[in-house]
Amino acid sequence: MGVEKRMLRDKYMNKRKAMSSEDIAFLSTKIFHQYLSRFKPLADQNIHIFLPISSKKEIDTGLWVDFFWKNKIQVFVPKIIKNRIISVAYLPHSDMQLNHWGILEPVSNIGENVAFDQVITPLLYADPQGNRIGYGKGFYDRFFANLHAETLRIGLNYFSPYELISDVDEYDIKLNHLVLPNETLSF
């Protein structure tokens, strides 16, 4: 028995709303160090990572981006075009703008078709089997469907998985790993 996505989405959005900026900074740093202890990204790898929506109190992925740039890891970020994610190269000098959801994304509409080593994805909740819940638009499930089989799908979250998602469907694509403040889970 599990809990429906919409109920879990509401529950974890409310938990996030209760977080302070200090909580976000502290937990983001812990999650970043947990990520580095498990995954050892190397120069010239290709990593797709989300940029946080601050109004939704997402994890501060600026820590990852700065580390990747300093270590010559190729960084790609999502841009939504016609209800799908394209992956755009992200460099320190890239021109960026806020989209209508308040997400910082590249001005460029030139997507890169590269083999990613990792896709670091946002989520509201992931269950103990690696099923993730986002904001309900399905962008990342469609994006995951087009990745190479070897690409690691890594979720970042403040909250540990306890409850199963009851209404997983055939379009939902599981994570390979979930990085939390005190542990990394594999599925």
Side-chain angles (χ1 to χ4, degrees):
M1 206 65 174
V3 181
E4 290 182 4
K5 291 176 188 176
R6 65 179 174 75
M7 295 178 73
L8 289 167
R9 191 175 286 119
D10 290 344
K11 176 179 180 176
Y12 287 95
M13 280 298 294
N14 288 330
K15 282 184 170 233
R16 272 207 202 155
K17 285 179 188 174
M19 294 174 68
S20 69
S21 56
E22 292 80 14
D23 294 335
I24 292 165
F26 176 73
L27 292 172
S28 293
T29 300
K30 286 189 72 159
I31 293 165
F32 173 67
H33 289 296
Q34 187 64 231
Y35 166 85
L36 287 181
S37 73
R38 175 64 186 271
F39 304 98
K40 311 287 191 236
L42 303 170
D44 297 322
Q45 283 189 315
N46 297 317
I47 298 182
H48 177 101
I49 188 166
F50 69 97
L51 298 177
I53 305 171
S54 56
S55 65
K56 299 221 184 262
K57 298 189 175 185
E58 290 185 338
I59 292 163
D60 179 8
T61 57
L63 301 165
W64 282 258
V65 171
D66 290 343
F67 176 85
F68 295 156
W69 285 341
K70 286 177 188 164
N71 290 281
K72 297 181 178 21
I73 296 163
Q74 309 304 308
V75 179
F76 298 84
V77 295
K79 180 165 184 169
I80 307 298
I81 304 273
K82 296 181 182 173
N83 275 341
R84 68 180 188 90
I85 292 175
I86 65 166
S87 194
V88 180
Y90 184 37
L91 305 166
H93 62 273
S94 292
D95 290 329
M96 305 294 283
Q97 66 187 6
L98 285 177
N99 69 15
H100 67 278
W101 287 297
I103 304 170
L104 195 63
E105 59 183 21
V107 171
S108 170
N109 285 340
I110 300 170
E112 302 280 341
N113 190 13
V114 299
F116 294 110
D117 296 283
Q118 300 174 10
V119 171
I120 300 174
T121 181
L123 54 100
L124 284 168
Y125 179 74
D127 76 6
Q129 296 177 343
N131 297 300
R132 65 176 285 285
I133 296 174
Y135 298 112
K137 304 285 187 202
F139 290 129
Y140 272 92
D141 289 315
R142 289 190 298 277
F143 184 67
F144 289 166
N146 294 311
L147 296 175
H148 293 285
E150 306 81 42
T151 302
L152 294 180
R153 296 178 306 277
I154 302 169
L156 308 178
N157 203 7
Y158 302 117
F159 311 111
S160 294
Y162 296 109
E163 302 163 293
L164 289 174
I165 300 168
S166 65
D167 52 345
V168 173
D169 64 41
E170 72 268 19
Y171 300 108
D172 293 333
I173 297 177
K174 292 182 180 191
L175 299 170
N176 300 113
H177 305 280
L178 177 64
V179 184
L180 301 160
N182 297 311
E183 66 181 333
T184 298
L185 304 176
S186 298
F187 308 104

